[in-house]
Amino acid sequence: MATEIAPDPLRLRAGRRERALAQMRAHDLDILVLGRQANVRYVTGAPQLWIAGTRPFGPVCVVVRDTGDIYLNSTDDEGVPDEIGRDRLYGLAWNPMTLIDVLKNIDGAATARRVGTDAITPTFAALLPEAFPNADLVDGEPAMAAARRVKTPDEIAAMGPALRVAERGLASAVAELRPGVAERTLAGAALQAMAAGGVSTPASQDVAWVTSREHPWRRVNRPVEPGDLVALAAGALADGYVGEVGRTWVAGDGGGARGLYARSDALHDKLLGACRPGAPVRGLLDAYEAAGEPLPPMPVAHGLGLGFDPPVVSGELAGADERLETGMVLAISGHVWQEGVGMVFRRDTVHITDDGAEVLTSSPSWQA
């Protein structure tokens, strides 16, 4: 059975494009040359081929501020929105000079003063000035990060399928949890359920791990034993958007973990309380201190959207002056540990509204 590749809905892609053009004006960019997959989809609305690992920079998409015209590297028009038009598509080329010749002929290329790129390689750093002879090449990623930082209402709705698939994946892993099961079996159950839900691209394959009873941040590489606290995390990439959810379950009798779950709930409430528009990003770190819990060495929150968006909140990365805004979507993570018991991990996807945090994920936690 063939599946038609369709562009993102008109209102969704138009709202994103309007935000990108507004940031081009704010950052005084005449032209944006984009190569990162999420940025390209954000402005074009055309589904992109997902590949594992990194890819080198190439001029996949060009946005002209004054006209709003978009030029896209594509060999056909499948999934390309009608407003882009076939006349503004250009094909793949092994020779980078072929791409430079295409860029030279874009309306406005010869007169552009500032051209931003979301990444660069030495080859294109040397060649792009030939396409834009009167322009300064500058970092265009801050403009795209600012555009993507706050989600439109249509983006929030578009994240729904990824969130629901992630929740189903988590539930399938929980159903397989028992003493003697291997971590990879739990991961396989989650990934199989997500694939059955139409998502063959997980946001992460780090799905299941037995938490250590001896060290707060160490994992135990062995089959599950009775009383183990097992962390389960599911992330799905659906229609370009990422949804994440995570919980910790007990294998067998877990009465000794009751107090640890109570601490996890208290930390979770403080993390949600920190998710207010205008609140400092560092408030998510302060929530750990207020709950009396040590900061983990990994991020306690990160932005979600078409992939991972700003901010990333950790002890090293949270900006002192950075503030949360209405419309941001974060994956917030709580980690609490007790020697002899293990760790309780919890992750939820949260939408920051005018009234505070709206939790977009739901998945039951084990309760003694």
Side-chain angles (χ1 to χ4, degrees), residues 63-250:
V63 186
V64 181
R65 184 185 71 188
D66 286 346
T67 62
D69 288 344
I70 294 174
Y71 298 79
L72 180 62
N73 183 206
S74 181
T75 55
D76 60 61
D77 60 0
E78 184 178 32
V80 176
D82 292 337
E83 66 269 15
I84 292 179
R86 297 187 65 177
D87 60 329
R88 292 200 289 273
L89 302 181
Y90 53 97
L92 298 170
W94 288 108
N95 187 343
M97 289 307 301
T98 302
L99 295 175
I100 294 301
D101 287 338
V102 170
L103 301 186
K104 286 180 180 178
N105 293 316
I106 288 176
D107 290 340
T111 57
R113 296 175 299 101
R114 280 170 56 88
V115 173
T117 66
D118 62 352
I120 201 69
T121 60
T123 296
F124 280 104
L127 294 180
L128 283 177
E130 296 188 29
F132 309 106
N134 295 302
D136 293 327
L137 289 181
V138 300
D139 186 2
E141 180 60 23
M144 287 305 305
R148 292 172 50 187
R149 178 184 177 90
V150 173
K151 307 297 178 288
T152 68
D154 292 294
E155 285 190 277
I156 301 299
M159 296 181 75
L163 296 169
R164 303 292 84 79
V165 168
E167 289 170 348
R168 288 196 290 272
L170 186 68
S172 294
V174 171
E176 294 294 323
L177 179 60
R178 63 188 181 279
V181 71
E183 293 174 348
R184 63 179 179 272
T185 301
L186 300 174
L191 297 177
Q192 182 180 39
M194 289 194 291
V199 175
S200 59
T201 310
S204 169
Q205 295 186 37
D206 193 13
V207 176
W209 61 95
V210 177
T211 68
S212 171
R213 305 185 196 193
E214 288 77 38
H215 190 282
W217 315 120
R218 188 172 298 158
R219 299 185 181 188
V220 181
N221 187 19
R222 59 163 171 74
V224 175
E225 295 180 356
D228 276 340
L229 291 177
V230 182
L232 301 169
L237 177 64
D239 299 326
Y241 284 91
V242 171
E244 294 189 3
V245 62
R247 295 290 188 272
T248 299
W249 286 70
V250 185

Side-chain angles (χ1 to χ4, degrees), residues 4 70 78 198 211 214 262 268 284 313 326:
E4 181 182 358
I70 294 174
E78 184 178 32
T211 68
E214 288 77 38
H268 185 70
L284 290 159
V313 186
T326 298

